[in-house]
Amino acid sequence: MHEDGPDARLALPPQVVNQDQALLHQHHRLAVLRRVLNDDSLPLRARIAAALVLLYAQPVTRIVRLTANDVIDDGTTVTVRLGDPPSPLPEPVASLMRAYVQSCRHLPYAGSRSSQWLFPDASPASR
């Protein structure tokens, strides 16, 4: 049965990842990481997400499921729960993460349920 209208659900086929996709070569990965860490014209949340992908080989689908509680700052070290034990963030990523978490506290949705997510405007349906 085909359903039309505003309540119709869109079903997408699962994304197929081919194993023979070109890998990001180390020198290119480091160049992208350098840009992410140093280019202040990029949004801070994009810089943080990209740094986690590039440093820890985490898929974006894992990154968008991180919550604010997955970032632990003991005043000396910043870690992120990507597994057990949490992974320490090297500088300058740790400083960027501190700045990002601090900036999220001042957003209008900070008191809402969406504030649990480290990247709150990512689609909750994909989590």
Side-chain angles (χ1 to χ4, degrees), residues 6-125:
D7 293 331
R9 301 268 184 224
L10 176 63
L12 298 175
Q15 181 179 354
V16 177
V17 177
N18 296 326
Q19 293 299 323
D20 57 312
Q21 289 180 342
L23 297 175
L24 189 61
H25 293 286
Q26 182 73 354
H27 68 279
H28 188 223
R29 183 181 69 85
L30 292 174
V32 172
L33 181 59
R34 232 181 330 293
R35 177 170 181 229
V36 163
L37 297 176
N38 297 309
D39 189 345
D40 291 337
S41 70
L42 297 172
L44 186 54
R45 68 188 189 130
R47 295 170 69 192
I48 292 296
L52 293 174
V53 169
L54 293 165
L55 286 173
Y56 297 103
Q58 295 296 301
V60 173
T61 54
R62 171 71 178 105
I63 299 301
V64 299
R65 287 189 311 246
L66 291 172
T67 67
N69 291 332
D70 288 324
V71 178
I72 304 124
D73 185 354
D74 67 8
T76 304
T77 304
V78 179
T79 59
V80 64
R81 271 192 209 104
L82 299 170
D84 190 31
S87 301
L89 297 179
E91 286 297 342
V93 180
S95 293
L96 289 174
M97 181 64 84
R98 280 185 180 109
Y100 176 68
V101 168
Q102 185 65 28
S103 72
C104 289
R105 291 186 181 132
H106 301 291
L107 294 174
Y109 52 75
S112 73
R113 286 187 56 210
S114 66
S115 66
Q116 72 175 332
W117 302 112
L118 189 58
F119 302 102
D121 63 338
S123 172

